[in-house]
Amino acid sequence: MHSYIRAPLFCLILLASLGIAAGARAAETLDVLHWWTSQSERKAADAIAEALADEDVTWRDAAIAGGAGVGAMKVLKSRVLSGRAPDVAQLIGPNIQEWADLGLLLELDGVARKNNWNTAFFPSIWSLVRLRSHTAAVPLGIHRINTLFYNRRVFNELGLTPPKNWNDFERVANRLQHAGITPLAQSSEAWQVTTLFETLLLSESNPAFYRQLFMSNSDRAWFDPRVSRALERLRSLKRWMGEPVTEKSWDSIARQFAHGEIGMWVMGDWAKGELQTMGMNVDDQFSCLPVPGTADYHLYSVDTFVMLVGDYDHEIAQEKLARLATSPAMQIHYNQIKGSVSVRRDADPRQMDSCARSSWQTFGRGAQVQAPSLTHRMASNEQLKDAISAQIHRYFLDDTIAISETQRRIAALVRALANRKAEP
Ligand code: BGC
């Protein structure tokens, strides 16, 4: 028998011995690193994993616990450096560009073209995943950070009206406190403190100033009175947070909220996903409002997956995941569980609850109302984010640190990291 005949026969025997019947497709596995470990995050990830399984691709989970991906980013870096890169990773914001520049990411130009991503997505989503005319990431959903959750049962019992401005907020908080309910939930974890701070900053300013502060590396902007006012409010809100403010995971706060121990909570709308998974419904047991002073703005974080090239041996499965996760049906299904909103412009707002509708419609107004979250990695590199966050955290924990001192420290850090002399 000639070798060219023997080869296919040999292959068939090999396939049979591996238990793969002729005609059946070989299942592929994708190793997926992300930081979705709360109940709703898990459920949302599972929704994508199940759709993938229907296309013969197994999602091997490599989740790393820790809100805002604090641990996951470290694990991702160390896995890549030690040659054990996952096939898919949750990587967001400007990090995508840094990783693409290192040649680590698979280009998804074919999937993007076939599925008309350029017109299907909101323009700012499309530009987020585009680098030098290539598509480098898969957008999953848009989270709104400037969200104020309030507990409807508690509000109804006390006859309270949801606060539209800071004066209302103070009045409502006072009433809640008298009723023995913690007016405002807060953890002292650094990322949760900075999440509140960036929202307060937007409330005192606007998206243009927000971008100037976090994206233009301007040290002078840190001395602006709008920054002092945001810092002042951050400190003054402490009196509504219950004593002492301790380190709590965001999903444990969601449980307290569900038990009626908390009146209000400023958190990204992944919290909505979690409350729903606990059996609470929007506009029934709870509702969301934009944080006072931010109704016209959208402080956002966009969850994105990148595909790591490796040996290019999972390309087909990676492209399947990219296509599935952004399909109109999966966008509705996944975002409904996750608490975020669709990255697609053709989504139907009638299928959304009131929180999602407000978020999606506000985001849709375009770049002038959008502010990229510093804390959630949309505005700057990791270094600057961590440096700013450490100072805000310190200020929040220690009431003896003066506002002006915090401004000075951050301005100096910004200057040092941008490697510049003081601005005149
Ligand atoms: C991510 C969300 C996640 C949240 C809490 C944010 O940075 O964008 O997807 O649910 O962190 O971990």
Side-chain angles (χ1 to χ4, degrees), residues 347-360:
D348 182 356
R350 287 168 307 183
Q351 296 190 343
M352 301 176 189
D353 60 49
S354 61
C355 307
R357 200 175 314 116
S358 157
S359 166
W360 187 80

Side-chain angles (χ1 to χ4, degrees), residues 64-263:
I64 307 293
V70 178
M73 283 305 294
K74 294 194 173 79
V75 174
L76 177 60
K77 278 182 196 153
S78 83
R79 281 191 57 174
V80 171
L81 289 174
S82 62
R84 293 175 303 116
D87 306 305
V88 184
Q90 186 181 0
L91 190 80
I92 65 188
N95 273 320
I96 301 172
Q97 173 156 9
E98 288 178 12
W99 288 58
D101 285 346
L102 292 169
L104 294 165
L105 308 185
L106 186 73
E107 284 167 2
L108 297 162
D109 298 351
V111 196
R113 205 174 28 251
K114 275 192 221 117
N115 296 282
N116 303 317
W117 283 9
N118 59 338
T119 50
F121 299 161
F122 285 116
S124 41
I125 301 290
W126 176 234
S127 60
L128 177 74
V129 299
R130 290 287 287 174
L131 300 167
R132 286 183 298 278
S133 313
H134 292 291
T135 307
V138 185
L140 301 170
I142 306 163
H143 277 299
R144 191 178 197 183
I145 316 287
N146 53 322
T147 311
L148 174 74
F149 293 93
Y150 67 93
N151 202 316
R152 285 190 85 98
R153 188 167 54 78
V154 173
F155 270 56
N156 288 344
E157 272 167 20
L158 298 175
L160 299 174
T161 325
K164 293 237 161 53
N165 55 46
W166 287 113
N167 286 340
D168 285 356
F169 180 94
E170 292 290 311
R171 256 195 306 277
V172 167
N174 202 10
R175 293 275 311 280
L176 287 163
Q177 201 162 55
H178 274 104
I181 290 165
T182 304
L184 182 65
Q186 183 63 44
S187 160
S188 63
E189 261 190 330
W191 76 266
Q192 296 193 57
V193 173
T194 338
T195 296
L196 177 60
F197 170 71
E198 63 182 28
T199 308
L200 298 177
L201 180 82
L202 187 63
S203 167
E204 290 298 333
S205 61
N206 53 48
F209 179 72
Y210 182 102
R211 283 170 190 269
Q212 188 194 350
L213 197 68
F214 293 137
M215 298 172 87
S216 75
N217 286 337
S218 156
D219 54 340
R220 209 171 36 192
W222 279 93
F223 296 102
D224 192 285
R226 289 170 284 190
V227 176
S228 353
R229 287 204 294 274
L231 285 167
E232 202 177 316
R233 185 163 323 270
L234 178 64
R235 187 163 273 164
S236 78
L237 285 177
K238 277 174 87 174
R239 71 184 188 285
W240 305 124
M241 295 174 184
E243 292 276 353
V245 183
T246 53
E247 284 216 358
K248 285 182 281 248
S249 65
W250 69 271
D251 47 328
S252 71
I253 295 186
R255 279 191 289 279
Q256 282 186 283
F257 187 95
H259 291 149
E261 296 162 30
I262 291 164

Side-chain angles (χ1 to χ4, degrees), residues 35-36 41 66-68 90 92 143 191 250 270 301 303 338 376:
W35 64 85
W36 294 324
E41 291 175 333
Q90 186 181 0
I92 65 188
H143 277 299
W191 76 266
W250 69 271
W270 45 87
S301 165
D303 281 318
K338 185 67 175 65
H376 299 277

